[in-house]
Amino acid sequence: MFRKKVALWLFPILIGFGLGVFLFSSNVQAGTSANGKFTISPKVNNTDNLIAATNTEWVFSVTTTADLAAGGPPTDIIRFILPTTTAGIVPFNISSPSSTSLTGISLAYGPGQPGVSSTILSDGRPAFYGFIGSAYASNTVFSISLRGVNNASGTLESLTNLVWEVEAGTSNGGDPAAPLSVVKFTITSTAALASAGGGGGGPSATSSISNVVLTDVDTTGFGLDGRDFMVTWNPGTSTPAGYQYTKIYIVTSTINLTTSNLSTACAGMSCMQFGMFNQYSIATNTLPQFVKTDSAYAPLSTTTQYVAWIYVQATTPFIVSSSPATVVYDNVADVNKPQIDHIGVHTAKEQALAVINSFIVDDQTFADQFNAPAGVEYFKLYYGTDVSVSESFVSAVKVTDAGLFSFSIPTSSVPAAGGTLEYYLAANDVAD
């Protein structure tokens, strides 16, 4: 017969949870290159950048990064290259090319033909081009508005982060489509297309979610964990067309999430979601206590700024973010005793190692501390033929981070068949 010297209370473990984290990201209407030398933008926002719009106009603002020469042969040329698209997307193309505005530089597409024309490059990309009319030094600033672009068609998610390019150099025998014989500079920038909105079109490309806020309102839960991350937002009054679900992610402010990079943006892997809702009206969520890492699998830190992202899957998916916020490690008085969750063992094999398992939970002493005590904390199993007379103990060995531990009573202490052995469990936390 086994007996226990201490009463053990059962504390069920909460296994499942549902979180919601919402991503913030409005559609990028203009983009600037990393070196600041090239900005691409629609002439009229929400008109010239709409998916599948025809005869649109885009403004290329460029600072040259090399000297360009006029005359020739050979002749220097500038090419304004439209984005490529993935399979299944109707690509960009150009019809009736023209430049409605050109400042800071002169271009011509042929003798006595000022302005630009278009071509299909040898690699299949559509491009506007113009030959240099005068010599220009590096760092010349110019702007050109190019009309006749027929935007690509497809889903909004597939038409984000589109790469636009400006390439300049010496033409190959005056052929505007051939690879340049000398490349003098290439600059890229990104800009997305937007979905048509309003009464006559499809769902709006603009998120109906607003005021996404990440705050740490926890002051009573010890340490740093999911309880320190509360996300609130305003979902608006209308559910997006084709709405399916909402997901929440928490990442550092150095990671920029988009609708198209959630499978790779977090340490090269899929970002870890902290929940998924199928009710669009939900407007608040606090992460559970057991969350110890962010969506990129990095341990939570008080020295890091975090951003909450809310992703909405709908006919037109979108992602929205909060402003960066910091969280606080909470130091509170330790007034709670460790909680031992154990079902008594009543049989064992004679003269063999007796293995007994138990869970333990404490609000301020973690599993690793019970596993390798550095102070007054411990988790032990005391055993003996009659523990009121004599007892020995074995310390706990961690099985899982969730607080499952194992105790092994030595074979030499397990009696032969018909004998008896008593045991009980005892624990102490770091606060003694």
Side-chain angles (χ1 to χ4, degrees), residues 205-419:
T206 303
S207 164
S208 59
I209 287 177
S210 61
N211 299 326
V212 182
V213 178
L214 174 63
T215 53
D216 180 0
V217 298
D218 174 42
T219 59
T220 60
F222 175 78
L224 178 61
D225 53 45
R227 294 171 296 179
D228 295 294
F229 292 81
M230 184 178 78
V231 186
T232 59
W233 61 94
N234 179 2
T237 57
S238 60
T239 300
Y243 173 73
Q244 297 181 40
Y245 54 77
T246 300
K247 292 182 178 180
I248 298 182
Y249 301 85
I250 303 288
V251 294
T252 65
S253 59
T254 60
I255 297 177
N256 183 49
L257 298 182
T258 70
T259 58
S260 58
N261 73 355
L262 293 174
S263 62
T264 58
C266 295
M269 300 181 290
S270 292
C271 297
M272 178 170 55
Q273 67 186 52
F274 290 123
M276 185 172 75
F277 305 124
N278 58 13
Q279 294 179 330
Y280 186 73
S281 60
I282 293 176
T284 184
N285 182 261
T286 300
L287 276 59
Q289 180 178 354
F290 61 79
V291 172
K292 305 294 184 183
T293 65
D294 62 21
S295 292
Y297 312 97
L300 300 177
S301 170
T302 57
T303 60
T304 299
Q305 286 195 317
Y306 291 98
V307 175
W309 292 85
I310 303 178
Y311 173 78
V312 174
Q313 178 62 42
T315 301
T316 302
F318 59 86
I319 189 169
V320 185
S321 73
S322 69
S323 297
T326 56
V327 290
V328 176
Y329 190 101
D330 299 303
N331 286 295
V332 298
D334 188 352
V335 296
N336 297 316
K337 297 179 180 180
Q339 311 287 337
I340 298 174
D341 180 356
H342 175 67
I343 297 176
V345 176
H346 299 287
T347 59
K349 186 177 180 180
E350 65 175 344
Q351 297 179 332
L353 193 70
V355 178
I356 297 173
N357 296 321
S358 177
F359 282 94
I360 188 169
V361 177
D362 188 78
D363 60 341
Q364 297 195 27
T365 305
F366 305 118
D368 284 340
Q369 292 173 283
F370 284 122
N371 187 60
V376 297
E377 70 275 13
Y378 62 80
F379 187 22
K380 298 177 179 180
L381 181 147
Y382 290 86
Y383 65 92
T385 302
D386 182 350
V387 294
S388 65
V389 176
S390 176
E391 62 185 17
S392 301
F393 73 87
V394 290
S395 295
V397 176
K398 187 180 72 171
V399 178
T400 71
D401 287 333
L404 176 62
F405 286 81
S406 177
F407 303 89
S408 297
I409 299 176
T411 301
S412 59
S413 298
V414 179

Side-chain angles (χ1 to χ4, degrees), residues 49-53 58 81-94 123-126 149-165 191-194:
N49 59 329
L50 295 182
I51 294 172
W58 290 82
I81 306 170
L82 305 187
T84 56
T85 52
T86 57
I89 304 300
V90 178
F92 284 86
N93 64 83
I94 302 170
D123 60 9
R125 293 180 296 168
V149 177
N150 298 318
N151 292 343
S153 64
T155 64
L156 182 66
E157 184 173 8
S158 64
L159 295 171
T160 59
N161 297 321
L162 298 171
V163 178
W164 306 67
E165 182 175 335
L193 296 185

